[in-house]
Structures are given as C-alpha cells and as structure tokens.
Amino acid sequence: MDEVLPGGFLTLSDLEETAKARSSTEVWAYVEGGAGEELTASDNHAAFRHWSLLPRHLAGIRSVDLRTSLLGHPVSSPIFVAPTAYQGLVHSTGEVGTAKAASAARTLAMFSTLSSFSMEEIAAAAPTGPRWFQLYLQPDFAATRELVGRAERSGYSGIVLTVDAPVLGSRDRQTRDGVAIRSPVPLGNGPHIVPPARIPQSDGEVFVFPPDATATWEILERLGGITRLPLVVKGILTADDARRAVAAGARAVVVSNHGGRQLDRAVASVDALAAVVAAVGSQAEVYMDGGIRRGSDILVALALGARGVGVGRPVLWALAAGGERGVSRLLSLLQTELAVTMMLTGRRNLAEVGPELLRDRSA
C-alpha cells in the first residue's frame, strides 16, 4: 500500500481511517482517548464549524507566501508539530521520523519530555531543526534543571512548559482499552523521568497532591534563571492566565487544552483563542493547538490571531500510516491546503489574514 499511496494515505480525509487500520486497539485508545466523556476532545474540532470564511475575488493573486517566523526562527509556514508523548508506540521511528520530516519541511517541531527517543537522538536525526523541548516539571528541581540543560546542549531553541497537567486527567478510554496509566512505557530521556501521573493521598475527606503538582507562576522565574532559551507556556485557556504567564517571563503562550486529554468540559482551544490574543498579543506571540484537521482550520486560527498553529493527533495518525513519509505527507498536504484556501479567499500572505475573513455562524 505504501508503494501506491505516498506516506500510506492519499488525502487528509483518508488519514485517520488508515492510521486506525494500522494500529492495535491499545495504541489507538492511547492516540484517540480524551478525558472523561471526551466532550472537550470532540469540541476541539467541532468548534471550528462555528466559523465561515468570507472570500474576496478577482484579487489578482499569482502566488501565496506562507512563510513566517516563530520567536525569530524562520519557518516555511505557521504550522508546527505539537508535542505528543510516546511516539514510539505508534511507529518504530517515533520522534526520530517526526523530526526528520519536520526538518525537511522547515517546520517547527516540539518534542515531549516523555519521548520514546532521547532528546539527543532526536536532535542528531534532524540537526537543522528548528525544534523546541516540551518540559514536564520533575519532583526534584535538580532533575528539571538537568532536562533543560540537556535541551540547551542538544541545540533546542525553546523551552515549552506545559502547565495543564499537574496530574493526569481521568482518561477512561485509555485506562479501559489501552495503555494503562501506570503501565511501564520506555522513556527515551531516561528511566528517572517522572510523568504527570501522580495519585493524590486521601484521608477520606481531603486529597493532598505531591509538591511538584502544586507549582505556581514563580516556576517561570526559576526556569528563566537557569536557561538562556525563550520560555513558552502551553495550556493557556484564559486571558488572566495568559497575562500571568507573560508577566512571569513567557515569550509566547500556546492556547491549548491538551487535546481534550486533561480536563473534560474545558473550553475548546479555538473558542479561547481570541480572548488570549486580545490580552497579550501585543506583548507575546500567541499560538494554538487542538482540533486542527484541515488547511481551512488553520486559516480560521490565523484569522483569530494565532501566529502559529499546532498539529498533534494528526501527526500520530501520519506516523501510524507511514512513519517519516507519513508525517512528510501530512505536512505537505496541510501546507498545500492552507495555500489553496488563502488563494480562494483572496489572501497573498499571512499579513493579509485577519478577523474580517470570518463570519461567526453561532452569533
């Protein structure tokens, strides 16, 4: 099949079905599972349907330029690879395949603390990047410092602190059908790495969480004191938290609900985007992820003010469908579809994309 379909699939519509067919029940539960009843996981994409595009015609467009920069790093488009853990469960090439595909496409990729390959192996596979390291705080700050130092030495150019996972959300499907919460999963960054899966202690009435699950905004200042790399805060859904992140030193924020995998009933990412842009968009770069499936979704996010738009689950689907070639195919299709959608709406470049492009169907 791979010989017939590049990367294992022909169109974006084929991708999810192809990936499911090539995945075990357990792995698919990990990839697709959300928190609780998976309301937020479902809402993430459904929320894009609230928006219609208002095209302008006869604009005399000969070409469309997708190029931009993310914290000063030139990239071929505003699309970036969002961090997802344990990619080796999905395909043997794991993060190495993703890194090679993203680097070849001149696309920013973020790699998880909980990667299947070490951050050094990922960097060696795609030395030209660009790549950022997604950080989960460790119980001992010395271990956090070690991870950050390794990322710097390996050529990562940003630290992405995830703040919406002090503990693991209640992932019913994953617990029932897939990789159990406490199952031993190989971690490329070392067996000492602690994932956010801590269970609180209870005396029957009060639940007490471990210290590393109770960080405050002060942690950004501590991180700023141990690294020269820019800090990005991922998991922001409110204007107030965006302001706190920027005040504490964040150069960028990612509007995200962890793909609906943490807090069920959390607001869809795209629904939270405009308020965050209004709050901090003049002081920091604002990105978003969650629910992106097509080039038109990306254009909606850009029109609402996102500078960068992340793709998470579809990257895992593409890995399952065809490894590195699958991820390359996905990034190519998304960029092409974004360019076509911009052409059809009369936009030559990203500077011409703004809220006037949108109509809110729910208003």
Side-chain angles (χ1 to χ4, degrees):
M1 187 174 184
D2 282 347
E3 288 71 27
V4 177
L5 302 182
F9 58 99
L10 188 60
T11 71
L12 290 171
S13 297
D14 302 327
L15 175 55
E16 185 175 4
E17 182 179 352
T18 302
K20 183 177 182 179
R22 297 189 176 191
S23 302
S24 67
T25 300
E26 295 77 14
V27 167
W28 193 247
Y30 163 70
V31 170
E32 289 296 276
E37 298 175 84
E38 302 184 350
L39 300 176
T40 297
S42 175
D43 286 349
N44 266 351
H45 182 59
F48 280 97
R49 297 174 185 169
H50 298 165
W51 297 101
S52 295
L53 298 173
L54 297 170
R56 62 188 184 200
H57 300 306
L58 298 179
I61 296 176
R62 292 181 178 272
S63 63
V64 171
D65 187 355
L66 301 182
R67 291 174 297 177
T68 187
S69 63
L70 301 176
L71 289 184
H73 302 288
V75 286
S76 61
S77 82
I79 303 165
F80 65 85
V81 174
T84 53
Y86 309 129
Q87 292 184 19
L89 291 174
V90 177
H91 190 275
S92 60
T93 62
E95 292 84 2
V96 166
T98 298
K100 289 180 177 179
S103 181
R106 294 190 300 114
T107 296
L108 171 69
M110 303 177 184
F111 293 101
S112 173
T113 296
L114 306 180
S115 56
S116 300
F117 290 82
S118 72
M119 66 177 83
E120 292 86 0
E121 290 173 311
I122 296 167
T128 59
R131 58 186 175 276
W132 294 352
F133 178 69
Q134 178 273 328
L135 174 66
Y136 283 122
L137 296 173
Q138 297 298 292
D140 183 348
F141 190 74
T144 296
R145 186 197 308 269
E146 177 194 4
L147 285 171
V148 171
R150 287 172 59 190
E152 278 200 39
R153 292 189 296 273
S154 301
Y156 291 74
S157 52
I159 300 295
V160 183
L161 175 65
T162 292
V163 295
D164 60 4
V167 293
L168 202 66
S170 301
R171 302 179 184 178
D172 293 3
R173 188 194 325 202
Q174 183 176 322
T175 301
R176 182 183 65 244
D177 299 330
V179 181
I181 290 175
R182 284 176 281 189
S183 292
V185 178
L187 292 173
N189 286 320
H192 61 291
I193 298 301
V194 176
R198 309 162 192 86
I199 305 300
Q201 299 298 311
S202 173
D203 64 4
E205 295 182 0
V206 176
F207 288 87
V208 179
F209 292 86
D212 54 311
T214 59
T216 67
W217 291 108
E218 179 269 342
I219 193 62
L220 272 181
E221 298 174 8
R222 292 190 72 185
L223 289 173
I226 65 170
T227 182
R228 59 179 175 77
L229 298 180
L231 299 177
V232 179
V233 175
K234 184 177 186 298
I236 298 296
L237 291 174
T238 68
D240 283 347
D241 272 357
R243 293 188 191 98
R244 291 187 180 99
V246 173
R251 293 271 306 280
V253 297
V254 185
V255 177
S256 173
N257 54 37
H258 216 105
R261 296 166 71 83
Q262 280 297 100
L263 174 64
D264 205 17
R265 298 183 186 272
V267 63
S269 295
V270 73
D271 286 343
L273 177 57
V276 172
V277 170
V280 301
S282 63
Q283 307 162 61
E285 294 187 0
V286 178
Y287 316 137
M288 70 82 64
D289 66 29
I292 298 296
R293 300 292 182 265
R294 310 292 307 222
S296 55
D297 300 331
I298 296 167
L299 188 59
V300 167
L302 294 171
L304 288 169
R307 186 175 181 90
V309 182
V311 183
R313 275 191 185 86
V315 171
L316 296 180
W317 297 344
L319 262 182
E324 178 186 341
R325 289 180 63 200
V327 179
S328 293
R329 176 71 175 164
L330 169 67
L331 296 175
S332 175
L333 287 175
L334 286 174
Q335 288 192 2
T336 299
E337 192 165 281
L338 175 58
V340 168
T341 306
M342 287 177 60
M343 173 68 175
L344 292 175
T345 54
R347 270 67 181 178
R348 296 175 177 81
N349 53 54
L350 300 179
E352 295 185 353
V353 175
E356 72 284 349
L357 179 60
L358 301 178
R359 177 179 177 272
D360 185 351
R361 299 172 61 187
S362 63

